[in-house]
Amino acid sequence: IQKYTFPSNLNSPHHAPMRPLILPLLLTSSAHATPLQDIQQAQTHITAYLPHLTSQSIAQALKDAANKGLRLTIIAPQHTHHQNDSYLLSLLLASKQTPPAPIHYYQETIQAPPFLIIDARTLWLGPGTQGPGSASPGNPKQLASAFTLTGKISQTSKPESHP
């Protein structure tokens, strides 16, 4: 498994757009990271589409990241937090503690596999991002699509104040 990570300077508002042929040359890879390890090593922000969060370790790692002050954007279908085997409610309650963790929750159903975007640079796709199953690294085109998708949601929807 290889995980592709964008250089941090690509997030700069002053960075000129790049041609797709150049972009793959700027990627770095890490052969041993997992979604859980990347969540634990995140520095600024995590965006996740979690239609069925059943992994206690992923939920705890996301909660720990929020408690460290990282901004979390969680997207899940409406009523997902009511599923018996879901850890989504436990994660979302971190935004109600004192001090509150910075979690933005959007109740949306999207036509995409579960995914995690770590620090706006790394994309993980697949059921292993939220529970049992495998997770695979995303490519630059998939990361761009995930950004577009989550950007539309945050622009057109209002975060839920509570689950």
Side-chain angles (χ1 to χ4, degrees), residues 35-36 50-59 83 85-87 113-116 125-136:
L36 182 61
L50 304 170
H52 194 72
L53 179 59
T54 59
S55 169
Q56 184 177 10
S57 59
I58 295 284
Q83 296 171 345
D85 59 348
S86 177
Y87 286 97
F115 64 80
L116 295 167
L125 297 163
T129 62
Q130 65 177 358
S134 63
S136 59

Side-chain angles (χ1 to χ4, degrees), residues 67-135:
N67 286 332
K68 289 190 303 188
L70 274 70
R71 195 173 73 247
L72 293 186
T73 300
I74 304 297
I75 304 164
Q78 189 173 11
H79 304 299
T80 298
H81 56 277
H82 293 300
Q83 296 171 345
N84 289 337
D85 59 348
S86 177
Y87 286 97
L88 184 61
L89 182 59
S90 172
L91 170 61
L92 296 175
L93 288 175
S95 67
K96 301 298 179 192
Q97 66 191 15
T98 304
I103 299 175
H104 302 279
Y105 172 49
Y106 295 91
Q107 291 185 7
E108 297 283 339
T109 300
I110 56 179
Q111 297 302 312
F115 64 80
L116 295 167
I117 302 172
I118 313 291
D119 292 334
R121 298 169 21 132
T122 303
L123 174 68
W124 284 98
L125 297 163
T129 62
Q130 65 177 358
S134 63

Side-chain angles (χ1 to χ4, degrees), residues 8-29:
S8 59
N9 64 351
L10 286 179
N11 296 325
S12 167
H14 304 292
H15 194 275
M18 301 179 68
R19 296 184 317 188
L21 294 175
I22 297 172
L23 187 58
L25 300 175
L26 294 174
L27 299 174
T28 60
S29 65

